[in-house]
Amino acid sequence: MEVEASFRVASRINCKEVPYCNPICNYRTLNLRFPYHHRLPHLSNASVYTLKSCYCKAVAKESSTEVVEKGRKMYSHDIKLSSLTALCPLDGRYWAKVKELALFMSEYGLIRFRVLVEVKWLLKLSQIPEIPEVPSFSKDTETYLQGLIDGFSLDDAMEVKKIEKVTNHDVKAVEYFLKQKCQSHPEIGKVVEFFHFACTSEDINNLAHALMLKEALSMVMIPAMDEVISAISDMAMENAHIPMLSRTHGQPASPTTLGKEMAIFAFRLSWERQDISEVKILGKFAGAVGNYNAHLVACPDINWPQVAEEFVTSLGIDFNPYVPQIEPHDYMAKLFHSIIQFNNILVDFDRDIWGYISLGYFKQITKAGEIGSSTMPHKVNPIDFENSEGNLGVANGGLSHLSMKLPISRWQRDLTDSTVLRNMGVGLAHSLLAYRNALMGIGKLQVNEASLSEDLNHTWEVLAEPIQTVMRRYGVPEPYEKLKEVTRGRVVTQESMREFIKNLDIPGDAKMMLLNLTPQTYVGAAAELAKNIKTAINLVNGLTA
């Protein structure tokens, strides 16, 4: 019986045999195989259950294999990869915001940097007099080899992947690709077997991963971090003088300024950004287990540790002399932990801004056509900060696993790091997406000074701190206790506070200063701290201006 026909028949039957339905066609299975009830919204849930039960009877004679096969046919599609079918939203919904990372952190980027390392190593060998088998290349040949790096394209990467289908080894596929490219070259063709000379795959991979991170950080991640820090610094300076009620433990506390609170985040983020930029990215090039075994057998008169250090540092990577087969990834753990901390600080910022929007301290600039809620037309939700916070959480989850797992490898190495390393770009991309969302949110903020001032006007009790401090200076006994008696748990107004000040036995100028004090003016050095934030950040970054 056809599914549609079964449905039509079932819709006319009041099935009373639900308990006896074929167990292989239970309610849960039919939720997947029998979606047609969505076309009959007038039916109750009970009716739908009855219809499904009748459908169970219609297929009761089918074997479990037949049922599964029908289900596969019903829901199987030849789905091609697109922005709508990508399993990871970074490659779909969010692609436009993170695509610049793909040049470095994708598999294309990994293959491209593998090619770079292999080519540079051949060039290095040609410069070692003790290896006469690889003579010095002519300028034209060096240019040709450099062109393999500079001109490496997506088509080239696809060719490497085709070779990999045969070799079932990704690094060997790169070696064979380069041999094919250079086989007919008059100079390189004579020495093509020196591609990958004395190398283990990890000699190539660890340097490729190091270069991926180095370029992604310098070209994308750190500039994005700088944008966030700069935007928050601008908020700090623009709002340096706008007084704001502090809330320690969620309760009214000594006033600050909006700008100074933003300056705190800018300064904290700048510290972490600086730590990230100072992490030394390490590389090794010491062979199968880090001892230059094959090197010394083939060419025993060469100082291979020195050659390896020269080669690694020539790529802009710091050299790690003590390694097993892999570079142990400790620097990666340090780097990812630092990014996690940067992200944690930004989560703190996102949540504070979310709260300030909720309090009415910020309005959000609206955009024509945008909808905040599908049912409440008035809403302008802080979605950018919420999206930022959510993606920071996803990023930190991935980066945390990387930082905890990568430094651990059984004996000289196991392969668990290989598949994990392919996810470096995921943590970085979710971080980048979060930075972009935060920046978008900041761009929509508009300070609501009236709301900030109104809050302060209702919290005159915050002046209890300066009053009792002045009382201490002039020897008034039990100043804290006296203020506690008139403020804690009581409604405090401007009048009641001034009445208390007038009755104090303190010098007249001190009394006048307290009488002129308001919650709006009791902000200490907050404004100056906010105005000087960029100078402070420059000092953190080692700059003088």
Side-chain angles (χ1 to χ4, degrees), residues 12 14 25 33 57 70 82 85 88 92 164 227 236 254 285 317 350 407 415 447 469 493 513 538 544:
R12 298 193 297 270
N14 180 19
C25 291
R33 297 191 59 219
K57 293 198 297 181
K70 279 191 175 182
S82 72
T85 60
C88 178
E164 186 186 338
E227 282 187 68
S254 301
F285 210 72
I317 306 297
D350 287 337
L415 203 62
V447 178
T469 304
T493 65
M513 182 271 296
N538 284 338
T544 56

Side-chain angles (χ1 to χ4, degrees), residues 258-270:
L258 178 59
K260 187 262 180 176
E261 299 312 301
M262 298 301 102
I264 293 172
F265 287 111
F267 191 73
R268 292 172 66 193
L269 290 168
S270 68

Side-chain angles (χ1 to χ4, degrees), residues 359-425:
L359 290 172
Y361 288 0
F362 287 109
K363 296 178 181 178
Q364 296 180 95
I365 299 171
T366 58
K367 185 177 179 181
E370 284 190 350
I371 293 172
S373 167
S374 64
T375 187
M376 292 174 279
H378 66 282
K379 294 189 73 179
V380 184
N381 296 329
I383 57 172
D384 298 306
F385 299 104
E386 292 171 339
N387 285 343
S388 176
E389 180 184 343
N391 278 286
L392 291 168
V394 174
N396 284 1
L399 294 172
S400 178
H401 177 66
L402 288 168
S403 61
M404 296 298 290
K405 186 272 158 293
L406 289 176
I408 301 170
S409 187
R410 298 172 184 88
W411 294 337
Q412 281 67 48
R413 79 85 51 101
D414 64 62
L415 203 62
T416 54
D417 65 323
S418 179
T419 188
V420 172
L421 284 165
R422 291 182 182 275
N423 291 278
M424 291 192 301

Side-chain angles (χ1 to χ4, degrees), residues 25-35 37 52-53 55-56 59:
C25 291
N26 58 31
Y27 182 83
R28 186 175 179 186
T29 302
L30 285 167
N31 268 328
L32 299 176
R33 297 191 59 219
F34 202 89
H37 66 276
K52 288 181 178 179
S53 301
Y55 176 72
C56 284
V59 298

Side-chain angles (χ1 to χ4, degrees), residues 170-190:
D170 48 5
V171 177
K172 205 67 179 174
V174 171
E175 179 189 346
Y176 287 175
F177 167 80
L178 289 171
K179 286 181 177 180
Q180 289 177 10
K181 284 284 188 180
C182 300
Q183 193 70 53
S184 60
H185 191 279
E187 289 186 51
I188 309 171
K190 298 174 183 178

Side-chain angles (χ1 to χ4, degrees), residues 5 11 22 48 201 215 524:
S11 67
N22 188 330
V48 170
S201 295
E215 294 299 312

Side-chain angles (χ1 to χ4, degrees), residues 91-389:
D91 299 317
R93 182 179 184 89
Y94 303 130
W95 173 249
K97 292 184 178 180
V98 299
K99 62 183 179 180
E100 60 204 276
L101 268 178
L103 183 62
F104 313 107
M105 302 308 298
S106 63
E107 185 163 15
Y108 162 75
L110 174 59
I111 296 171
R112 182 167 65 92
F113 284 119
R114 282 171 173 160
V115 167
L116 182 152
V117 175
E118 294 275 14
V119 170
K120 292 289 188 181
W121 179 233
L122 183 63
L123 285 166
K124 177 65 176 176
L125 293 173
S126 73
Q127 298 163 6
I128 301 175
E130 293 85 354
I131 307 180
E133 293 83 0
V134 187
S136 297
F137 293 132
S138 66
K139 289 294 182 183
D140 287 344
T141 297
E142 289 182 354
T143 300
Y144 178 85
L145 286 169
Q146 186 62 41
L148 295 176
I149 299 170
D150 297 339
F152 190 77
S153 66
L154 284 173
D155 288 338
D156 290 331
M158 290 298 295
E159 184 61 33
V160 173
K161 293 299 291 182
K162 288 179 183 177
I163 298 171
E164 186 186 338
K165 288 181 180 180
V166 178
T167 64
N168 198 29
H169 195 288
D170 48 5
V171 177
K172 205 67 179 174
V174 171
E175 179 189 346
Y176 287 175
F177 167 80
L178 289 171
K179 286 181 177 180
Q180 289 177 10
K181 284 284 188 180
C182 300
Q183 193 70 53
S184 60
H185 191 279
E187 289 186 51
I188 309 171
K190 298 174 183 178
V191 295
V192 290
E193 293 303 329
F194 280 86
F195 279 119
H196 209 69
F197 177 76
C199 294
T200 185
S201 295
E202 270 304 298
D203 286 330
I204 308 303
N205 277 339
N206 90 96
L207 293 180
H209 288 133
L211 290 167
M212 290 167 71
L213 285 171
K214 181 176 181 290
E215 294 299 312
L217 286 170
S218 63
M219 301 298 290
V220 181
M221 297 304 296
I222 289 178
M225 291 175 178
D226 287 340
E227 282 187 68
V228 172
I229 294 168
S230 179
I232 298 174
S233 298
D234 289 341
M235 289 178 68
M237 297 180 71
E238 290 166 7
N239 301 293
H241 291 90
I242 297 178
M244 182 180 82
L245 181 67
S246 294
R247 281 181 166 81
T248 57
H249 310 281
Q251 307 303 309
S254 301
T256 181
T257 70
L258 178 59
K260 187 262 180 176
E261 299 312 301
M262 298 301 102
I264 293 172
F265 287 111
F267 191 73
R268 292 172 66 193
L269 290 168
S270 68
W271 267 108
E272 289 306 320
R273 178 264 187 220
Q274 191 61 18
D275 280 351
I276 292 165
S277 69
E278 292 175 351
V279 173
K280 289 185 176 181
I281 295 179
L282 301 178
K284 57 85 65 171
F285 210 72
V289 291
N291 302 331
Y292 307 95
N293 303 44
H295 306 64
L296 289 167
V297 169
C299 303
D301 298 328
I302 296 176
N303 184 346
W304 285 109
Q306 179 181 332
V307 170
E309 182 173 4
E310 290 172 356
F311 177 61
V312 171
T313 55
S314 73
L315 301 175
I317 306 297
D318 285 277
F319 181 64
N320 188 346
Y322 289 93
V323 295
Q325 184 177 98
I326 62 173
E327 199 292 318
H329 309 314
D330 295 327
Y331 84 86
M332 289 186 179
K334 183 176 182 180
L335 173 63
F336 296 146
H337 274 304
S338 294
I339 295 174
I340 287 170
Q341 184 56 19
F342 183 96
N343 291 352
N344 277 338
I345 295 169
L346 193 58
V347 168
D348 197 21
F349 171 81
D350 287 337
R351 290 181 180 177
D352 274 16
I353 295 296
W354 188 97
Y356 292 144
I357 292 172
S358 179
L359 290 172
Y361 288 0
F362 287 109
K363 296 178 181 178
Q364 296 180 95
I365 299 171
T366 58
K367 185 177 179 181
E370 284 190 350
I371 293 172
S373 167
S374 64
T375 187
M376 292 174 279
H378 66 282
K379 294 189 73 179
V380 184
N381 296 329
I383 57 172
D384 298 306
F385 299 104
E386 292 171 339
N387 285 343
S388 176
E389 180 184 343

